[in-house]
Amino acid sequence: SCYFFVPSSHLQHMEPGNDTQMSEFLLLGFSEEPELQPLIFGLFLSMYLITVFGNLLIILAVSSASHLHTPMYFFLTNLSFVDICFTSTTVPKMLWNILTQSKVITYTDCINQMYFFILWAGLDVFLLSVMAYDRFVAICHPLHYTVIMNPRLCGLLVLVSWIMSALHSLLHSLMMLRLSFCAHLHIPHFFCELNEMLQLACSDTFLNNLMLYFTTMLLGGGPFAGILYSYSKIVSSICEISSAQGKYKAFSTCASHFSGVFLFFCTSLGVYLSSAATQSSHSSATASVMYTVVTPMLNPFIYSLRNKDIKRALKRIIGFQQCKGH
């Protein structure tokens, strides 16, 4: 039979069991040194607040300005919402554990966290690919843009993204439920990451790993290939534009999205390549911060700093609030 780690006050002891009932995990985080905990807490709290308020401002700016009610900004508001949820799945629990000086997360909470993490990560990938398709139609087929990117298609693309992501995360969560977990349930990460949990299982994980690689290639590689194809067509279309001003205008419409895609895919790909190379879970946890926390935090800046329409809408909101204050 397997053994499950169950903390009891400050003592840790093993109790035998044949299922995962009442089992608990320990999220080890980044460092166990007490003097570093206030620094980590302050850093992650700051990044979390910037992420939430930054993305909420994007949603508010788009919803309050009627001229921003276009497919591009519709997808952007969805991305901002997903980024808030993505960060909220992992960071608050980590902050709470630091605050209470506890590393415990229950088995149920761990499965739930893993489910929602995969859901929001999948939605990020799908929305970025949908946004790439939107830019492809806008630049390569500008005369047919309003006909092709009609509200029905936009809604359908987001709905399909939600369904695919929900089914993907449900698949991995259900497959995780069939596994038994042995003693020493220490997760060297700041959240219940799928790979780390598979390494802790004492039952056969071949099917889980096979499904993980298959879905990653299909649902990660597929959208990424679609994004690369869209941008290859976009670049060739921009090169055909004769005027320099026309080229700059076309490039500026997709520069923000390309920056967001580059940041998300390069950081997430870098995490898994580096973790495969170093085989160090702690370095993987540190690298994961890039796409789980830093990228959602930077997205509002990426999509607003170079965007005059968003900046104008934000100024109107801030000005309106100041007027109400007076």
Side-chain angles (χ1 to χ4, degrees):
S1 75
C2 285
Y3 289 87
F4 303 98
F5 179 72
V6 184
S8 176
S9 67
H10 296 291
L11 297 174
Q12 299 171 352
H13 62 275
M14 306 296 172
E15 290 183 4
N18 293 318
D19 53 37
T20 47
Q21 188 178 4
M22 297 301 291
S23 64
E24 292 178 338
F25 296 89
L26 288 186
L27 292 172
L28 300 183
F30 302 103
S31 173
E32 295 187 41
E33 295 179 29
E35 60 270 17
L36 287 177
Q37 298 309 306
L39 178 64
I40 294 170
F41 181 85
L43 182 65
F44 276 85
L45 179 62
S46 303
M47 289 195 292
Y48 179 64
L49 291 175
I50 292 168
T51 302
V52 172
F53 287 120
N55 283 290
L56 277 177
L57 275 175
I58 294 287
I59 295 169
L60 191 61
V62 173
S63 59
S64 65
S66 57
H67 69 282
L68 295 181
H69 295 172
T70 62
M72 183 174 74
Y73 294 111
F74 170 68
F75 297 133
L76 180 57
T77 53
N78 277 275
L79 184 69
S80 294
F81 172 74
V82 168
D83 278 344
I84 291 170
C85 297
F86 190 30
T87 314
S88 298
T89 303
T90 57
V91 177
K93 175 60 180 173
M94 187 194 71
L95 294 175
W96 176 253
N97 281 4
I98 293 173
L99 203 63
T100 57
Q101 296 183 354
S102 166
K103 297 178 185 295
V104 172
I105 183 169
T106 65
Y107 172 77
T108 305
D109 287 345
C110 208
I111 295 293
N112 286 334
Q113 190 183 60
M114 189 194 73
Y115 171 83
F116 284 107
F117 180 83
I118 297 170
L119 173 70
W120 304 126
L123 271 167
D124 245 335
V125 171
F126 286 126
L127 285 173
L128 286 171
S129 59
V130 165
M131 290 170 79
Y133 175 70
D134 174 69
R135 292 300 84 206
F136 160 73
V137 175
I139 291 169
C140 300
H141 305 284
L143 298 176
H144 301 102
Y145 179 73
T146 51
V147 177
I148 297 171
M149 299 304 294
N150 57 72
R152 186 181 175 183
L153 179 66
C154 293
L156 190 63
L157 287 170
V158 171
L159 180 63
V160 169
S161 298
W162 271 92
I163 292 169
M164 293 285 284
S165 299
L167 290 174
H168 175 224
S169 55
L170 184 63
L171 172 69
H172 285 299
S173 300
L174 291 175
M175 290 192 70
M176 186 63 68
L177 291 173
R178 58 183 279 277
L179 300 178
S180 300
F181 290 90
C182 302
H184 310 297
L185 300 180
H186 298 72
I187 302 175
H189 220 293
F190 66 99
F191 67 95
C192 294
E193 204 264 337
L194 179 59
N195 268 325
E196 298 292 342
M197 289 184 70
L198 287 176
Q199 290 176 31
L200 293 176
C202 60
S203 52
D204 183 32
T205 60
F206 173 77
L207 195 61
N208 294 70
N209 284 312
L210 187 69
M211 194 57 67
L212 175 61
Y213 293 129
F214 176 74
T215 54
T216 301
M217 290 298 293
L218 184 68
L219 302 178
F224 186 60
I227 290 169
L228 290 178
Y229 174 79
S230 295
Y231 272 99
S232 68
K233 292 291 185 182
I234 287 168
V235 170
S236 62
S237 293
I238 290 174
C239 290
E240 290 173 5
I241 298 171
S242 55
S243 68
Q245 188 179 358
K247 284 183 179 180
Y248 175 76
K249 188 178 179 181
F251 176 76
S252 64
T253 60
C254 57
S256 298
H257 176 257
F258 182 76
S259 303
V261 168
F262 179 82
L263 194 63
F264 181 82
F265 278 98
C266 286
T267 52
S268 54
L269 190 65
V271 166
Y272 290 104
L273 288 177
S274 65
S275 62
T278 60
Q279 292 294 315
S280 170
S281 296
H282 276 290
S283 65
S284 173
T286 307
S288 295
V289 175
M290 286 303 296
Y291 77 96
T292 58
V293 184
V294 176
T295 301
M297 180 184 72
L298 293 179
N299 273 346
F301 298 101
I302 290 169
Y303 289 104
S304 63
L305 289 177
R306 290 180 57 87
N307 193 308
K308 292 177 182 177
D309 293 327
I310 291 283
K311 284 196 282 188
R312 200 179 300 124
L314 288 172
K315 283 176 183 176
R316 192 181 295 114
I317 292 167
I318 294 165
F320 178 70
Q321 291 296 330
Q322 287 175 345
C323 288
K324 281 185 73 176
H326 288 299

